[in-house]
Amino acid sequence: MKKLMRPLVRTMIHFEISYPVFIRMLKSLYVEVAEQEFQLDGKHNTDSRISLLTGVHRKDVRRFRENPETLEPPQPVSLASHVVSLWLGDPEYTDENNKPRLLPRLPAAQRDPAEGPGFEELVQSISKDVRPRALLDELLRTGVVRETDNNHLKLDQQAFVATDDLRQIAHYFGRNLRDHIACAGHNLQGDSPRFLERAVFYDRLSQGSIEELRSQAELLGNDALVTLNRMAVELAKKDEQQPRATQRMTFGAYFYNTPVEKIAKDDEDSCGKQGSS
């Protein structure tokens, strides 16, 4: 548990989230999870049972149940993220090599129909509540999209990944960690079917070797994400009208390196180990 919590605590201290603030939220969350996910045969949980399950004092359980903590509501995937996802995966917006193609910037009425759907059609296929020009201006400002000399638009995937929008980064920080921990917890509890959850780990590597591995990991990881995104776009279109389409999924890839000595205190098995799991 200490291994799991250390990087989270480091991040919270960096953003000045103090222990009292965290522990109050954690208490409330223990009560919420016990109440919603640990019922006995569908029976209503009592304050005493929730206190027994969680270790939270009964008076605190009662207080949290009567006045639930107001936590930040989940944020929907941004329109920009959705636009980039379709641009990467929808056959209408990719070329013969499955790469995002250059999209005409001009509206359909002002260009040759043979060019196929452009940026305006891409945005309007997702939402008609936002002016395509307003979104384009923002994507141009952040460097996610660049304008070519022939009045077309080019998607810069790396610029989108390297966003400096702290609110967006924090949203995906929570979303990705939540699903990764849920996946690993599901497998740890012995539930089935087991989820994919694997890693490759090596130590005693030079910085040069790390950079070589990092470059290859980014290449392979990005290819895998783009491929699965393309498949998900096609399946989502097929499932759109099905009442049983109630599931969501997450697939991710990450790469991390740090000096061996930095993790040795928390992970005595780390030194001299290598392999995969």
Side-chain angles (χ1 to χ4, degrees):
M1 185 61 69
K2 188 175 179 181
K3 299 175 193 176
L4 174 67
M5 295 300 294
R6 178 179 283 271
L8 180 59
V9 169
R10 183 188 306 121
T11 302
M12 290 192 298
I13 292 174
H14 175 83
F15 288 103
E16 300 181 353
I17 301 174
S18 66
Y19 169 77
V21 171
F22 175 68
I23 207 64
R24 177 179 174 83
M25 181 182 66
L26 195 60
K27 270 188 179 183
S28 173
L29 191 57
Y30 259 84
V31 172
E32 180 183 315
V33 171
E35 182 173 19
Q36 295 178 358
E37 301 185 29
F38 287 84
Q39 296 182 351
L40 286 174
D41 299 323
K43 295 179 181 178
H44 184 69
N45 274 326
T46 63
D47 293 346
S48 295
R49 182 167 188 271
I50 291 177
S51 178
L52 180 65
L53 284 172
T54 64
V56 177
H57 196 282
R58 193 167 58 180
K59 69 177 183 180
D60 289 330
V61 171
R62 185 183 306 113
R63 176 165 54 87
F64 286 130
R65 296 181 81 188
E66 291 175 351
N67 299 287
E69 293 282 90
T70 302
L71 302 178
E72 184 178 350
Q75 299 177 10
V77 176
S78 71
L79 179 59
S81 298
H82 202 163
V83 164
V84 171
S85 176
L86 284 187
W87 200 340
L88 288 168
D90 193 314
E92 284 197 294
Y93 302 102
T94 54
D95 61 22
E96 62 278 4
N97 297 314
N98 293 321
K99 301 296 184 183
R101 65 178 177 83
L102 297 179
L103 297 185
R105 173 173 181 163
L106 295 175
Q110 302 176 28
R111 66 172 196 271
D112 184 351
E115 290 188 285
F119 183 80
E120 182 177 272
E121 290 91 328
L122 172 57
V123 175
Q124 290 182 341
S125 72
I126 300 168
S127 173
K128 299 188 185 304
D129 297 330
V130 175
R131 291 175 55 244
R133 177 55 190 265
L135 179 60
L136 176 58
D137 287 344
E138 179 61 18
L139 294 176
L140 289 170
R141 183 190 68 81
T142 57
V144 174
V145 171
R146 293 186 290 109
E147 189 171 12
T148 66
D149 294 337
N150 60 349
N151 218 16
H152 281 66
L153 301 171
K154 178 179 176 61
L155 176 65
D156 187 338
Q157 297 172 235
Q158 290 304 115
F160 183 75
V161 172
T163 177
D164 58 358
D165 184 339
L166 181 58
R167 191 162 178 264
Q168 186 179 28
I169 293 172
H171 168 63
Y172 285 109
F173 170 83
R175 182 188 178 107
N176 293 340
L177 285 187
R178 175 198 63 192
D179 285 355
H180 194 167
I181 292 173
C183 165
H186 171 95
N187 292 344
L188 187 64
Q189 292 163 201
D191 295 334
S192 61
R194 293 177 63 86
F195 289 125
L196 170 67
E197 211 261 330
R198 300 284 187 271
V200 175
F201 51 92
Y202 280 78
D203 57 21
R204 303 301 180 185
L205 293 166
S206 68
Q207 189 60 40
S209 295
I210 288 293
E211 293 305 322
E212 189 173 343
L213 289 166
R214 185 202 306 275
S215 177
Q216 185 69 2
E218 289 179 357
L219 180 64
L220 294 174
N222 187 65
D223 285 347
L225 293 170
V226 169
T227 299
L228 205 65
N229 175 71
R230 187 179 304 115
M231 183 178 178
V233 167
E234 294 174 358
L235 290 173
K237 284 184 176 181
K238 186 180 72 173
D239 293 345
E240 194 170 7
Q241 304 301 325
Q242 295 197 30
R244 297 174 63 183
T246 59
Q247 296 290 310
R248 70 175 186 86
M249 58 78 70
T250 299
F251 173 76
Y254 71 93
F255 180 94
Y256 178 72
N257 70 276
T258 191
V260 173
E261 293 75 12
K262 188 172 182 180
I263 61 172
K265 294 180 181 178
D266 285 342
D267 192 354
E268 294 179 358
D269 294 332
S270 66
C271 297
K273 296 289 184 180
Q274 54 191 28
S276 61
S277 65

